[in-house]
């Protein structure tokens, strides 16, 4: 492929909140082209008719095998549901299509299994639980800061439809911080909760608090306390466009990878 040729992309989950936003992002991109979408309905229809985005004549396929063999895309971007995302990722590997997976629900063992298969084929791809660049930078900065500020608490704030708590991003942030943070129990050694749960969840002695309110989207604060100083890192996702810079970046980057990467932070320079 010459450098000027656009990357041929298939999007799975085109009617979803993230999938439709991804299609709008591709429509505005100069180096990505939408060749097809995979949906469980609407076989044979056009994306233009389904989403009302002018100029997108890409076809919708209900059958991912037919889609891959007829369209021969470079990249699959998947924002569906956990079980569907896993099936689609396996199909992408089988057809040598580079996966960019935003769908949640992959265990470490599953990632390892897909990575082994992709290493054998030297196929590049990414699974990223959070595509918002700012959220990923907060994780990276928190890892740096935790070395000097072992006293830290995480507050994550989300809309009240969110099913899991704490968020995957908060757990990932805490995991990264433990790489540099000296293990330490947060707060007074003899502190007691007079109301159960008041001090939040315990992660290696560090506390994580989850706030759920209508009006919020996805936000996180990491607070560090030291002698006479405080450091606060905060990220706010205002809407789903916040994930698109990361999706675009990942779609370009997988073209030059020969393995499966887990987490956007591992491909940011
Ligand atoms: P959504 O419910 O709005 O969209 C999911 C879509 O998948 C629906 O339109 C549904 O019709 C479609 N779908 C179901 N089965 C399908 C199939 N067999 N083939 C094709 N499409 C199928 O959900 P959403 O908010 O768009 O989120 C989708 C996924 O992305 C979730 O797992 C969510 O947790 C995750 N997510 C990830 C990030 C990130 O940054 N990585 C950000 C937000 C959401």
């Amino acid at each position: 492929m010459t450098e000027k040729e656009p990357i041929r992309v298939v999007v799975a989950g085109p009617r979803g909140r993230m999938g439709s936003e991804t299609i709008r992002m591709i429509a505005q991109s100069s180096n990505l082209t939408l060749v097809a979408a995979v949906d469980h309905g609407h076989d044979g229809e056009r994306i233009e008719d389904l989403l009302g985005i002018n100029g997108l004549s890409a076809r919708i396929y209900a059958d991912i095998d037919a889609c891959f063999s007829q369209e021969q895309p470079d990249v699959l971007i998947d924002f569906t549901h956990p079980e569907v995302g896993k099936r689609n990722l396996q199909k992408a590997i089988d057809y040598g299509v580079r996966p960019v997976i935003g769908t949640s629900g992959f265990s470490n063992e599953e990632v390892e299994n897909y990575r082994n298969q992709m290493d054998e084929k030297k196929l590049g791809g990414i699974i990223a639980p959070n595509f918002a660049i700012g959220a990923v930078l907060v994780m990276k900065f928190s890892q740096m800061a935790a070395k000097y500020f072992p006293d830290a608490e995480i507050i994550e704030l989300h809309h009240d439809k969110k099913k899991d708590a704490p968020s995957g991003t908060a757990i990932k942030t805490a995991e990264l911080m433990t790489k540099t943070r000296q293990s330490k129990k947060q707060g007074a050694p003899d502190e007691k909760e007079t109301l159960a749960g008041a001090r939040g969840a315990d992660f290696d002695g560090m506390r994580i608090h989850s706030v759920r309110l209508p009006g919020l989207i996805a936000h996180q604060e990491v607070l560090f306390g030291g002698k006479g100083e405080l450091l606060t890192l905060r990220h706010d996702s205002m809407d789903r466009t916040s994930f698109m810079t990361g999706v675009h970046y990942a779609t370009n980057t997988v073209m030059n990878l020969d393995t499966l990467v887990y987490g956007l932070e591992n491909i940011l320079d």
Side-chain angles (χ1 to χ4, degrees), residues 13 15-18 38-40 79-80 84 102 104 128-131 243:
R15 282 180 290 142
R17 285 165 292 202
M18 290 296 288
V38 179
D39 196 311
H40 48 122
F79 282 107
T80 56
V84 180
S104 51
N130 198 326
F131 275 112
F243 301 109

Side-chain angles (χ1 to χ4, degrees), residues 38 65 128 139 172 181 225 241 246 253 260:
V38 179
D65 288 276
M139 288 185 208
K172 189 76 206 269
R181 175 181 176 267
T241 55
T253 305
L260 176 66

Side-chain angles (χ1 to χ4, degrees), residues 17-198:
R17 285 165 292 202
M18 290 296 288
S20 56
E21 199 58 54
T22 300
I23 287 174
R24 276 188 281 277
M25 179 273 287
I26 294 171
Q28 287 165 15
S29 155
S30 56
N31 76 323
L32 308 182
T33 186
L34 184 77
V35 294
V38 179
D39 196 311
H40 48 122
H42 302 272
D43 191 37
E45 291 180 26
R46 302 270 147 202
I47 277 289
E48 188 168 47
D49 303 327
L50 191 74
L51 297 183
I53 304 174
N54 288 336
L56 281 183
S57 63
R59 195 200 131 157
I60 298 163
Y61 289 82
D63 179 0
I64 197 165
D65 288 276
C67 175
F68 284 166
S69 49
Q70 284 182 42
E71 304 289 349
Q72 307 201 334
D74 300 307
V75 173
L76 165 75
I77 302 179
D78 190 286
F79 282 107
T80 56
H81 295 160
E83 287 319 308
V84 180
K86 283 168 202 163
R87 268 202 321 268
N88 289 349
L89 170 52
Q90 185 59 56
K91 289 287 181 191
I93 297 172
D94 296 345
Y95 282 85
V97 176
R98 293 160 193 272
V100 172
I101 309 291
T103 304
S104 51
F106 287 83
S107 68
N108 289 341
E109 293 72 33
E110 285 164 340
V111 173
E112 202 48 46
N113 164 35
Y114 294 120
R115 185 179 290 126
N116 289 340
Q117 294 185 55
M118 288 171 67
D119 283 349
E120 266 181 39
K121 293 190 153 195
K122 298 208 178 313
L123 188 67
I126 185 166
I127 300 174
N130 198 326
F131 275 112
I133 301 249
V136 171
L137 287 176
V138 166
M139 288 185 208
K140 286 194 129 180
F141 297 157
S142 299
Q143 182 178 350
M144 285 170 72
K147 178 176 175 188
Y148 305 101
F149 294 94
D151 292 283
E153 306 222 1
I154 299 174
I155 307 173
E156 57 93 344
L157 310 91
H158 282 84
H159 56 87
D160 61 348
K161 303 278 181 303
K162 185 165 176 60
K163 304 261 188 326
D164 54 321
S167 67
T169 301
I171 293 175
K172 189 76 206 269
T173 306
E175 280 172 2
L176 288 175
M177 287 166 69
T178 57
K179 292 189 179 182
T180 57
R181 175 181 176 267
Q182 199 183 347
S183 187
K184 177 172 185 186
K185 186 176 175 297
Q186 197 66 43
D190 55 350
E191 72 176 8
K192 282 198 181 63
E193 288 180 334
T194 46
L195 206 55

